[in-house]
Amino acid sequence: MENTNSKYWIITASKEHVKNGTLGGFAQACHGKSSPLKKMKKGDYVIFYSSKEYFDKKDKCQEFTAIGKVKSDDIYQFEMTPEFCPFRIDIDFLQSNDISILPLINELEFIPNKQKWGYPFRWGTLQINESDFKLISNLMLYGQEN
């Protein structure tokens, strides 16, 4: 699952929204903004982190809930309602299991302050290094660390 030109990303979204995206084969980020998606290129990998089960509720999730590969560089708008036309990018989702972030916090390099581990997710998207990607993806895809 490696390509030397690939980048690795995390998109933060509610589990409900992530599962809708997996069914439709797409990702949205930061409430439908285009700018975070423009950083992603064909062949990049994306892991989805869900702090909550539902967008409009407080039920905690704290899991990585999907993983996939960016299909193309094309970003497009989709009309969900006349007032809401978010930007999307197509993703080839991989068969994976949801896993808790809690046992991984101390091992993940993109979390510098382990006491405030949720902070990196506040921006909606973030680029991570290959070793963090491998740690998370191996557990999601194979149920074991590398």
Side-chain angles (χ1 to χ4, degrees):
M1 203 182 349
E2 294 168 45
N3 170 351
T4 55
N5 297 326
S6 291
K7 292 182 179 176
Y8 306 96
W9 302 93
I10 290 178
I11 292 177
T12 303
S14 71
K15 187 172 185 172
E16 173 189 36
H17 285 177
V18 171
K19 296 309 177 185
N20 287 339
T22 60
L23 292 173
F26 66 87
Q28 290 176 198
C30 303
H31 307 289
K33 292 184 175 72
S34 64
S35 54
L37 300 179
K38 287 179 181 176
K39 297 175 187 174
M40 299 174 191
K41 301 295 179 205
K42 180 180 180 180
D44 285 358
Y45 288 93
V46 183
I47 292 173
F48 295 79
Y49 173 73
S50 301
S51 62
K52 301 191 310 182
E53 291 283 338
Y54 303 97
F55 173 71
D56 57 353
K57 295 183 181 156
K58 294 187 187 280
D59 306 38
K60 284 185 183 177
C61 180
Q62 300 178 329
E63 292 179 335
F64 295 106
T65 50
I67 187 171
K69 191 173 186 178
V70 178
K71 285 173 79 167
S72 77
D73 295 333
D74 297 329
I75 295 163
Y76 57 92
Q77 274 188 293
F78 179 83
E79 184 177 320
M80 293 185 72
T81 69
E83 298 81 31
F84 185 53
C85 301
F87 286 88
R88 293 180 172 180
I89 193 167
D90 289 335
I91 303 286
D92 274 327
F93 285 95
L94 305 173
Q95 186 70 38
S96 66
N97 297 303
D98 298 352
I99 62 163
S100 173
I101 190 174
L102 300 178
L104 304 178
I105 291 168
N106 288 328
E107 297 178 61
L108 294 169
E109 292 178 32
F110 73 85
I111 301 176
N113 182 339
K114 307 308 181 185
Q115 281 69 49
K116 297 185 189 224
W117 62 266
Y119 190 76
F121 300 107
R122 292 179 55 120
W123 313 115
T125 58
L126 67 137
Q127 188 176 346
I128 62 172
N129 65 35
E130 187 177 10
S131 64
D132 281 351
F133 172 80
K134 283 182 175 180
L135 173 64
I136 299 164
S137 64
N138 282 333
L139 288 167
M140 291 182 78
L141 298 171
Y142 313 114
Q144 61 193 27
E145 292 186 35
N146 197 1

